[in-house]
Amino acid sequence: MGSISSQTQRRRHMLEVTKKSIISGKTNTMELDISQEQLDRWESVDKQLIQVAFPNLSSSEREFLMTGITPTEWNDTFGDGDDHDA
């Protein structure tokens, strides 16, 4: 997978992240409890495992960062599995 680009906007203590879904091609936005510095570090060339970079995020939130897929889109496509939070 090539470099990941994100549009971000700082609000309160949350970061609004906009990604394009690799399933639908739709642009989705999610507010996440991360800093711009964390996101920049994770998106750098020396990328950490996402679980290490964002230990406080749910699996659904981490999936969104990697693929742009929202929990609803995941469930609509793959069903309501145990691997992703709703």
Side-chain angles (χ1 to χ4, degrees), residues 2 8 15 19 38 42 46 56 73 78-79 83:
T8 58
L15 191 67
K19 306 287 281 189
Q38 282 178 296
W42 180 72
D46 298 324
N56 60 310
E73 187 173 35
F78 302 110
D83 291 339

Side-chain angles (χ1 to χ4, degrees), residues 54-73:
F54 306 107
N56 60 310
L57 297 183
S58 69
S59 59
S60 294
E61 291 169 326
R62 292 190 301 261
E63 183 69 38
F64 175 78
L65 277 177
M66 294 185 297
T67 65
I69 299 170
T70 64
T72 300
E73 187 173 35

Side-chain angles (χ1 to χ4, degrees), residues 19-37:
K19 306 287 281 189
K20 184 177 179 180
S21 169
I22 63 170
I23 291 177
S24 66
K26 292 180 182 177
T27 300
N28 299 307
T29 300
M30 189 177 282
E31 197 171 67
L32 302 171
D33 183 14
I34 62 174
S35 70
Q36 182 65 54
E37 294 76 23

